[in-house]
Structures are given as structure tokens and as C-alpha cells.
Amino acid sequence: MAIHKVLRMGEPGLLRVSKPVTDFNTAYLDALISDMWETMQAENGAGLAAPQIGINLRIIIFGFENNPRYPDALEIPSTVLINPEISMLSDEMDECWEGCLSVPGMRALVPRNKHIRYSGFDATGQSFTREVKDFHARVVQHECDHLDGILYPQRITNMQSFGFIEELESNGLMTAQPCDD
Ligand code: NI
């Protein structure tokens, strides 16, 4: 078990399309996932994708309760999602403040689909499907983007909202639209 360095924007490894996991229930996969949890918790993240620690495999983890980085967000069950597939269940979009451990200290307003279904596998190879909305849907879309080499700044439609958390907060901008409405 180890806490890994989280790669920051500018590292080419974050821009790659990751490969599907083919072997489940292995010591390698279990160790990798436990390192991901440890790393995510150390950084107070809401989610983490394997490429963020330099492993280009289609693995994401997410979930939290009372996360200090997202004080107003609803709880999301702790989930390991491997080889994920997402379908959008409506065209309705939601815009709220998003951050990323690979883009530390910054946030921007990012539009995401409000209502999605996702499916994939857990670490043992068991498949599962969930239908989710709002912040849970946002976190999954954000983490899945990492598996295709996409970071949230590429999703920003209003670049004027992109800024440093400290400045956005001290200017009263970030409180305008909480993520879990
Ligand atoms: Ni991220």
C-alpha cells in the first residue's frame, strides 16, 4: 500500500486513451486499487482515475461522505468501476463548479449531463449497472473522461469561469451554483 504522486496537467500520461482491464481478481489489481483509495483519501478527492497515478488502465474509483473539498455535495457510495460504459439518459445538462486533483487549486463551471446510466465491473470481475443523477453523474463523467485523456478544462464552455479557488471564493463567485442542486 502506498500513496502515489498525482500527475498534474501537462504530463503526457494524462492525455492517453487508457486500455481495458483484461485480468480480474489479481494481486496486481487489488494492490493498484488499494493504492488508488489511499491516494484519493490523502488528497481529499471525490474520485480518482488510474491514469492520474501514471497507470493507463480503465479503472476509476469514487465516492465520499462529507468531503471538505465539496462541502455541499450529497454522499456517493464508495465505488470501484472498471472498463466503464456510460449512456446519457436525457439531454438535460447541469453546470456547476468542478475541480480535479490533476489541476490543483483551480475550479471552473463545467456542463455535464444530469442523468446517466453507467455500467462496468468491480475488482472481482462482477458486472453492475447504476442509474444516477446530478453530482454522482458528474463525478462519473469526470472520471471516465480521464480514461480517454480528457481533463475538465477541455469541457469548459465559459472560460471566464475558470480560476483559482482562492480568488473565486474571495470574489464570491463560487458560492453561486452548488453542485448538488
Ligand atoms: Ni480529475
Side-chain angles (χ1 to χ4, degrees), residues 52 99-102 142-143 146:
Q52 289 182 281
C100 178
L101 298 178
S102 296
H142 174 113
E143 297 309 329
H146 277 295

Side-chain angles (χ1 to χ4, degrees), residues 25-107:
N25 241 334
T26 65
Y28 172 79
L29 192 59
D30 289 345
L32 173 60
I33 289 166
S34 84
D35 283 2
M36 286 175 68
W37 282 120
E38 235 186 307
T39 303
M40 184 183 114
Q41 276 150 14
E43 304 277 349
N44 287 320
L48 188 77
Q52 289 182 281
I53 58 165
I55 305 292
N56 288 106
L57 287 173
R58 301 187 80 79
I59 304 169
I60 64 175
I61 61 168
F62 52 88
F64 64 84
E65 325 171 345
N66 303 322
N67 187 306
R69 289 179 75 239
Y70 297 90
D72 301 323
L74 297 173
E75 291 187 3
I76 300 177
S78 293
T79 303
V80 175
L81 179 60
I82 301 174
N83 301 345
E85 304 279 354
I86 296 183
S87 22
M88 309 305 176
L89 296 181
S90 86
D91 291 335
E92 206 186 337
M93 306 291 280
D94 192 16
E95 205 172 54
C96 74
W97 295 98
E98 207 165 296
C100 178
L101 298 178
S102 296
V103 192
M106 301 191 80
R107 290 275 171 92

Side-chain angles (χ1 to χ4, degrees), residues 120-164:
F121 301 86
D122 69 14
T124 67
Q126 185 78 39
S127 69
F128 65 99
T129 300
R130 282 184 192 150
E131 194 182 313
V132 299
K133 287 183 171 175
D134 302 320
F135 192 58
H136 189 153
R138 171 172 298 271
V139 168
V140 173
Q141 289 170 82
H142 174 113
E143 297 309 329
C144 286
D145 266 355
H146 277 295
L147 305 180
D148 292 324
I150 298 167
L151 299 172
Y152 82 82
Q154 289 169 256
R155 299 286 191 193
I156 302 170
T157 49
N158 174 9
M159 283 304 287
Q160 290 192 335
S161 72
F162 194 23
F164 291 96

